[in-house]
Amino acid sequence: GQGSPPLLLFFLSFAMVAIEKGGGGGSHGIPEGQLLGTLALVGLIYFTAAGGAYGSESVINSVGPLPVIIGHAIFPFCWSLPIGLATVELATAYPTDGGVAVWAALAFNEFWGFMGGYFSLVEGVVNLAVFPTVTLDYILVLFDAELDPVSSWFGKAAISCLVVLLNMQGVNFVGRSSYLLSILINIPLIILCILAVIRVKDYSPWMDSRQNDYDTNWTFFLGILVFNLSGYDNVGSVAGQVKKPGVTMPKAMIIAIIVGSVSFLVPLMFGAVVSQTASPQELPSPPPLPL
């Protein structure tokens, strides 16, 4: 019935807390070479929290470039950084897998640990359901194609299965893959920014409080802002599989927050000054190089 998924998550949360209470902790006997190093952990944190500015384009039209730029420049310091530092403190004090489920159980009791795990699973199911849709939408735009609802469903299911297979390879593989993929997915955004610096001469849209005569939508803007810059606490779920967590975790968290925040701020800044209707041929030519 409709209550089955929450009920299943409810029992999975109970099992997770029970496993952590009974035998969790440490690195679970994982060889030193298979633990997460700094770069792998940076990639893992980046993908659980940021993942690039894809899907955030519409926020420019909600309130205009100026609030978006100011928000993404300031919000990491009053939201992402405190969450990240609190996560580092807890993950290094209790270097065991489980994250908020374990921390809540230790701070209060097993019931709240169980509830923390349950709510985390519910949030994960709802949150992660967005990304296959966004990925498929970008693929369809890239190839200028359309799919009927049934084909679209199978496409999203295929993307989800691919991600599940990757996760089944282990946290070290996921961490290293995330580090490499974080570079690959940002290459188009880096190219966009470089071309904008070369070709765009008018940066006055940065000072606009609204874009394209759209009605201002502060609720949408704040929702996207919080969504873009949240998720750094998720790394607590693999704290027991980090090499030298007291050193690696703080370093990786600071790097991931900086990279994650910049990867939203800079593309959104330059995307706001690029015409949505201009083709590459219509953009101003770059200045000639001196002989």
Side-chain angles (χ1 to χ4, degrees):
Q2 294 182 351
S4 298
L7 186 62
L8 176 60
L9 294 177
F10 188 80
F11 285 112
L12 286 173
S13 303
F14 179 80
M16 182 168 65
V17 174
I19 290 171
E20 291 299 332
K21 179 177 174 60
S27 59
H28 307 292
I30 300 174
E32 181 78 9
Q34 296 182 21
L35 295 175
L36 291 167
T38 301
L39 292 180
L41 189 58
V42 168
L44 200 61
I45 298 172
Y46 180 79
F47 266 103
T48 57
Y54 298 98
S56 301
E57 302 89 336
S58 57
V59 75
I60 297 292
N61 283 335
S62 66
V63 293
L66 183 60
V68 171
I69 293 171
I70 293 175
H72 282 83
I74 296 177
F75 208 64
F77 295 99
C78 58
W79 182 259
S80 304
L81 188 60
I83 291 175
L85 293 178
T87 301
V88 167
E89 183 74 18
L90 290 167
T92 53
Y94 306 102
T96 181
D97 296 345
V100 67
V102 175
W103 302 335
L106 291 171
F108 302 103
N109 52 46
E110 291 183 22
F111 172 78
W112 288 112
F114 154 75
M115 292 303 297
Y118 175 68
F119 288 136
S120 295
L121 283 170
V122 172
E123 184 271 339
V125 169
V126 175
N127 183 22
L128 296 178
V130 174
F131 298 105
T133 301
V134 174
T135 303
L136 184 62
D137 287 345
Y138 273 106
I139 293 173
L140 295 177
V141 170
L142 180 64
F143 293 100
D144 192 22
E146 293 183 3
L147 292 177
D148 59 83
V150 175
S151 300
S152 177
W153 187 91
F154 279 105
K156 297 170 189 176
I159 294 171
S160 301
C161 290
L162 175 62
V163 175
V164 169
L165 289 175
L166 292 175
N167 277 275
M168 290 174 63
Q169 306 308 309
V171 69
N172 186 266
F173 176 84
V174 172
R176 293 172 186 266
S177 302
S178 298
Y179 170 69
L180 295 175
L181 285 173
S182 65
I183 297 175
L184 292 177
I185 67 169
N186 279 294
I187 289 177
L189 300 176
I190 294 172
I191 294 174
L192 165 68
C193 297
I194 293 173
L195 291 177
V197 169
I198 295 173
R199 299 186 173 188
V200 174
K201 303 302 180 185
D202 181 16
Y203 293 94
S204 60
W206 283 352
M207 303 307 296
D208 293 343
S209 60
R210 204 185 315 189
Q211 182 83 345
N212 295 339
D213 297 326
Y214 274 63
D215 291 333
T216 303
N217 190 340
W218 289 100
T219 303
F220 178 78
F221 163 65
L222 292 174
I224 293 294
L225 186 64
V226 171
F227 180 81
N228 284 348
L229 300 174
S230 296
Y232 292 98
D233 55 314
N234 292 330
V235 71
S237 60
V238 295
Q241 303 184 56
V242 177
K243 185 186 302 181
K244 299 179 180 178
V247 176
T248 304
M249 185 72 75
K251 187 189 304 183
M253 181 64 73
I254 295 298
I255 294 173
I257 290 176
I258 293 173
V259 173
S261 302
V262 171
S263 69
F264 280 114
L265 175 61
V266 177
L268 287 173
M269 287 176 61
F270 286 108
V273 297
V274 175
S275 172
Q276 297 181 6
T277 58
S279 65
Q281 292 77 17
E282 295 172 331
L283 291 173
S285 299
L289 297 174
L291 298 178

